[in-house]
Amino acid sequence: MQKLKIIVSITLMILVSSCANFRHLAKEVDMLNSVYVEYRVTIQSLHEAESFVFVQLQSLDAETIDGYEVVIGNQQITVTGDTKSQYLFTFNDTNNDLQFQVGEAFSINLLPEDTSKPLLLHLSKTQDNYPQALVGAPLNNLLNVKFSPAKIGEPADLDAPQFDREIAELGMWKPITHLKQGNSGLFFIDDFDPSKIPVLFIHGMNGTARDFAPLIAKLDRQKYQVWVMNYPSGLSIELLANGLNSLIKIIDYRYDVKTFHLVAHSMGGLVTQAYLDLCRNQLGCDDIASFTSISTPFAGVESAQSGVDYAPVVMPAWRNLAPNSDFIATLFTDRLAEDLTDDSNDLSRPAHQLIFGYKVSGIINKKSSDGVISLDSQLRDKAQQQAERVYGLNEDHVSILSNDNLAEALHQFWLQTEKQHAAKHDG
């Protein structure tokens, strides 16, 4: 009976879900495990600031690729691969065009069956055994993937079907189906304008870009342009952070953006912080002026642990959200800072504005919260210590996005950080 009570308390999401959701989730998780595999990769290179592209191939003479990722720097990297891929072709993309040219340093490695040990890559310009089909070919034109590739810079408006609530729920319980249908990616709500500063909005679990509509309506569209990330929120947060890292690198290559802002709600803040940990360790965050997290559970969510312990099928995101997870423990890990003794690393650390909600909803609440996320989690010590500004609003988890003071806080923070960002780079 006690176990049943704990199960019932997992979250409102589980309360209202049916057994069918768990059956769907079980199939999708099995499919995910059969399709994706992660490799830890270390590149032996003399220059940390180089740009590298990882290309997955089933054979060296293949005319299509299984996928590709973009990273900057030679720190240890996690590459998400297709289980059918046999080779990893890595090249130093010296001109940032996402095409391999003869003369760019490269390596070809057979992917190991044992993924527990890092794969050490040695890049060289003297080899001539490169895949011929890749020479001078845009990688996006060579993709042959099981799922629809993530949309990158595709125009959309907030009324688009991929932002419907039904699609958000699909992303929780059937994340692979969400990917297959082509709902994921980084979308441009405004036509790209090189004279305007992009603001990238990242939703939370069971969220959608439409959640930000009240906030987006208050933006100065003469100065800022709106981007949104759409993703299946049932996936592992680490996997999502790796995906965001690759999406932003590709957007950077295409549009050469010098300054942009990140705004994330709820679990989206964890995706973003994990991405920032990753890109800082790769020396790749110089173009990010600021990060604003809103109602983010930086110390995890207790109900997620109950889901891990007692739910009939465990959603991958719950494993990361659990307070005692390795993901939560290593969040804010900064390997770069360990190697530097002065303030030179500040250039690559985006200014963080931590916004929390504290309006308690419901008749009985034993813990201070915004009705969904506890204050303890929103105000985790490590998060406060690295934040440039901490600001609370008397709002619940959803209403906070409509608050006029939130919009004003964003605008003021952006003005401040844009000046700081310009000064750092001018210096």
Side-chain angles (χ1 to χ4, degrees):
M1 187 65 182
Q2 179 63 26
K3 182 179 291 189
L4 177 61
K5 289 180 180 179
I6 295 174
I7 294 174
V8 172
S9 70
I10 291 175
T11 58
L12 179 61
M13 177 179 64
I14 296 178
L15 269 173
V16 300
S17 66
S18 66
C19 292
N21 279 334
F22 285 106
R23 288 197 297 272
H24 293 319
L25 182 61
K27 292 179 181 178
E28 301 269 323
V29 170
D30 287 344
M31 193 184 306
L32 183 67
N33 292 335
S34 69
V35 169
Y36 287 126
V37 64
E38 292 187 344
Y39 301 96
R40 289 182 296 148
V41 174
T42 300
I43 300 174
Q44 184 168 333
S45 174
L46 298 176
H47 306 288
E48 289 187 342
E50 292 178 327
S51 301
F52 300 100
V53 180
F54 299 98
V55 183
Q56 302 152 37
L57 299 164
Q58 292 190 28
S59 68
L60 295 181
D61 58 357
E63 296 185 355
T64 60
I65 64 176
D66 296 331
Y68 68 93
E69 292 188 33
V70 181
V71 301
I72 295 178
N74 62 353
Q75 299 288 333
Q76 190 174 100
I77 301 152
T78 299
V79 177
T80 303
D82 188 309
T83 52
K84 291 188 177 180
S85 298
Q86 297 296 313
Y87 295 93
L88 185 66
F89 175 71
T90 307
F91 67 94
N92 182 6
D93 193 13
T94 54
N95 57 356
N96 295 345
D97 64 352
L98 291 179
Q99 300 179 42
F100 171 70
Q101 277 91 28
V102 176
E104 291 178 325
F106 72 91
S107 71
I108 297 175
N109 294 82
L110 187 66
L111 290 169
E113 293 184 7
D114 182 5
T115 61
S116 63
K117 297 180 180 179
L119 187 61
L120 183 61
L121 310 185
H122 301 271
L123 274 64
S124 170
K125 294 182 180 181
T126 62
Q127 306 173 82
D128 59 4
N129 59 332
Y130 46 80
Q132 296 293 324
L134 269 61
V135 178
L139 293 177
N140 206 49
N141 295 345
L142 301 177
L143 275 175
N144 180 24
V145 294
K146 298 179 181 68
F147 311 134
S148 297
K151 305 297 192 299
I152 305 175
E154 182 172 296
D157 59 55
L158 291 180
D159 294 326
Q162 63 263 35
F163 306 136
D164 288 346
R165 185 60 58 193
E166 292 78 8
I167 299 301
E169 293 177 0
L170 183 75
M172 280 197 312
W173 298 107
K174 301 176 74 173
I176 299 301
T177 301
H178 184 284
L179 293 171
K180 283 184 175 180
Q181 292 182 357
N183 296 305
S184 301
L186 197 159
F187 297 88
F188 287 0
I189 303 301
D190 298 318
D191 293 336
F192 180 76
D193 185 338
S195 69
K196 295 180 182 180
I197 299 173
V199 181
L200 174 57
F201 292 90
I202 302 168
H203 64 74
M205 177 167 277
N206 196 26
T208 163
R210 213 171 285 164
D211 298 340
F212 293 105
L215 194 54
I216 290 172
K218 297 165 187 170
L219 261 61
D220 177 2
R221 304 294 266 276
Q222 298 301 310
K223 180 177 181 180
Y224 299 104
Q225 56 189 315
V226 177
W227 298 352
V228 297
M229 181 186 177
N230 205 50
Y231 64 91
S233 59
L235 289 181
S236 154
I237 298 176
E238 293 167 308
L239 183 63
L240 294 168
N242 279 327
L244 177 59
N245 183 45
S246 189
L247 284 174
I248 289 179
K249 294 296 184 296
I250 293 170
I251 287 287
D252 255 356
Y253 278 20
R254 288 186 182 177
Y255 298 98
D256 194 27
V257 175
K258 302 300 183 185
T259 302
F260 69 96
H261 300 285
L262 297 168
V263 178
H265 179 236
S266 194
M267 191 185 86
L270 294 179
V271 175
T272 308
Q273 183 59 54
Y275 152 68
L276 290 174
D277 289 347
L278 180 64
C279 81
R280 265 187 51 71
N281 289 325
Q282 296 175 5
L283 296 173
C285 296
D286 286 357
D287 49 0
I288 305 172
S290 78
F291 162 44
T292 297
S293 60
I294 306 168
S295 307
T296 293
F298 287 116
V301 182
E302 291 181 1
S303 56
Q305 185 63 58
S306 298
V308 171
D309 292 340
Y310 301 112
V313 182
V314 178
M315 190 178 290
W318 292 345
R319 297 189 187 280
N320 297 140
L321 285 167
N324 295 324
S325 68
D326 290 341
F327 173 81
I328 293 297
T330 56
L331 200 64
F332 302 103
T333 298
D334 194 342
R335 292 193 300 269
L336 180 63
E338 297 171 0
D339 299 331
L340 298 173
T341 57
D342 55 28
D343 292 333
S344 60
N345 63 328
D346 286 345
L347 181 63
S348 61
R349 178 183 290 120
H352 179 198
Q353 176 175 223
L354 189 160
I355 295 180
F356 64 97
Y358 56 86
K359 184 176 183 179
V360 175
S361 61
I363 299 174
I364 300 175
N365 284 278
K366 295 181 179 179
K367 260 190 161 182
S368 298
S369 72
D370 65 357
V372 176
I373 307 300
S374 71
L375 281 182
D376 285 349
S377 187
Q378 294 183 71
L379 296 173
R380 178 182 176 180
D381 285 348
K382 283 188 176 180
Q384 291 192 69
Q385 289 165 8
Q386 65 105 54
E388 193 160 310
R389 184 173 191 244
V390 178
Y391 181 47
L393 291 169
N394 185 22
E395 298 285 355
D396 64 32
H397 196 66
V398 175
S399 68
I400 194 168
L401 295 176
S402 301
N403 190 290
D404 289 340
N405 290 331
L406 170 62
E408 181 61 25
L410 281 173
H411 286 127
Q412 292 302 319
F413 193 62
W414 292 343
L415 289 174
Q416 171 192 332
T417 55
E418 285 159 19
K419 292 177 181 177
Q420 293 172 345
H421 192 253
K424 284 179 180 179
H425 286 270
D426 290 344

